[in-house]
């Protein structure tokens, strides 16, 4: 793959992400008027607020070539995906959203099948249709809490026998915009899943109490 093609791929992924942000905002502006309003709506508002805030910060990290924090934000966006899909697997979405609004943690609440909605449970449910989320979850989870990933990111080795350099700044100087293509694509896909799930929820809110997750 040439540098030009790689850069074009990153630019396309970034444009797709921006488009998904716009679609999410338009979706909420269309549906959050002249309708009954309950805890599920508040839950979905929180989802959108977090999604867009993280997306804005992610784009800034890409602009700054700050891969360490960009990858951590990808993990947080995936967490938002898990939380919006949790609505599909509880017995009473309105009661569930109300408990979360009151301060209860989602991973301490139970799905309709009686199992606690830990990350592992939610990942296993979502990966049935989106197997790539498993790798994204594994590859980014070590960046939320301080770990060996952060230590290794501060060390730059010049070959097997060359001297090591230590990085104290926020970026890896050798990173280019093209290097962020994979992160951009993953972040876009997470954001797109949120748009699809929210759109399906709004479309069926008044007619279907329990739903299957929307198609990919």
């Amino acid at each position: 793959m040439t540098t030009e093609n790689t850069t074009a791929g990153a630019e396309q992924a970034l444009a797709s992400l921006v488009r998904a942000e716009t679609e999410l905002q338009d979706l909420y502006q269309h549906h959050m008027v002249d309708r009954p309003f309950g805890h599920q709506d508040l839950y979905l508002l929180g989802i959108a607020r977090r999604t867009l805030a993280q997306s804005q910060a992610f784009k800034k990290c890409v602009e700054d070539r700050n891969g360490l924090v960009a990858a951590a934000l990808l993990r947080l966006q995936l967490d938002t995906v898990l939380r919006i899909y949790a609505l599909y697997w509880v017995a009473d979405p309105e009661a569930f959203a109300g408990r979360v609004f009151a301060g209860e943690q989602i991973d301490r609440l139970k799905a309709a099948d009686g199992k606690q909605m830990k990350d592992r449970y939610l990942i296993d449910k979502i990966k049935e249709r989106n197997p790539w989320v498993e790798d994204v979850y594994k590859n980014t989870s070590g960046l939320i809490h301080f770990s060996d990933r952060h230590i290794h990111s501060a060390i730059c080795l010049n070959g097997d026998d060359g001297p090591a350099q230590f990085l104290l700044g926020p970026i890896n100087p050798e990173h280019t915009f093209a290097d962020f293509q994979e992160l951009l694509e993953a972040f876009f896909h997470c954001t797109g899943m949120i748009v699809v799930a929210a759109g399906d929820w709004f479309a069926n809110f008044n007619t279907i109490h329990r739903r299957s997750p929307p198609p990919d």
Side-chain angles (χ1 to χ4, degrees):
M1 180 178 291
T2 66
T3 301
E4 291 77 14
N5 286 338
T6 304
T7 300
E11 290 174 346
Q12 182 177 358
L14 178 58
S16 296
L17 174 58
V18 172
R19 185 172 64 251
E21 292 175 320
T22 301
E23 290 175 356
L24 187 64
Q25 293 180 74
D26 290 346
L27 177 69
Y28 276 70
Q29 289 171 356
H30 175 73
H31 285 284
M32 284 293 185
V33 293
D34 299 327
R35 55 175 283 113
F37 204 84
H39 285 113
Q40 291 173 79
D41 298 274
L42 295 174
Y43 189 97
L44 290 171
L45 279 171
I47 289 287
R49 177 73 172 86
R50 189 189 196 203
T51 297
L52 294 171
Q54 289 171 170
S55 189
Q56 181 67 19
F58 176 81
K59 291 185 297 182
K60 180 61 176 174
C61 285
V62 172
E63 178 184 337
D64 292 341
R65 309 299 186 260
N66 186 347
L68 196 64
V69 177
L73 287 167
L74 171 58
R75 171 64 182 82
L76 294 178
Q77 199 76 329
L78 178 56
D79 182 82
T80 311
V81 172
L82 302 184
R83 271 54 191 172
I84 191 171
Y85 274 77
L87 280 172
Y88 286 96
W89 296 310
V90 295
D92 187 335
E94 181 65 21
F96 165 76
R99 293 177 68 179
V100 177
F101 179 77
E104 294 191 55
Q105 293 180 212
I106 292 174
D107 64 357
R108 295 183 180 178
L109 300 177
K110 292 183 178 180
D113 60 10
K115 296 180 180 179
Q116 278 189 285
M117 290 189 291
K118 302 285 188 181
D119 281 4
R120 183 70 268 164
Y121 175 86
L122 296 172
I123 286 288
D124 285 344
K125 296 282 283 186
I126 290 176
K127 75 177 184 181
E128 293 176 5
R129 295 187 179 186
N130 301 275
W132 56 269
V133 302
E134 178 84 61
D135 288 337
V136 172
Y137 184 84
K138 289 180 178 178
N139 292 335
T140 57
S141 289
L143 293 167
I144 299 302
H145 304 290
F146 183 76
S147 69
D148 64 300
R149 295 279 297 276
H150 298 96
I151 299 172
H152 289 295
S153 73
I155 304 169
C156 181
L157 298 176
N158 294 317
D160 294 334
D161 301 320
Q165 292 181 318
F166 301 107
L167 304 176
L168 296 180
I171 66 171
N172 287 89
E174 75 278 9
H175 281 179
T176 66
F177 174 67
D179 294 328
F180 286 82
Q181 179 177 349
E182 187 175 355
L183 277 176
L184 280 162
E185 290 174 344
F187 202 95
F188 158 65
H189 285 303
C190 284
T191 306
M193 288 179 70
I194 294 167
V195 174
V196 170
D200 178 77
W201 200 265
F202 283 130
N204 296 287
F205 180 83
N206 293 323
T207 58
I208 305 175
H209 181 65
R210 291 279 295 129
R211 289 171 285 278
S212 298
D216 300 339

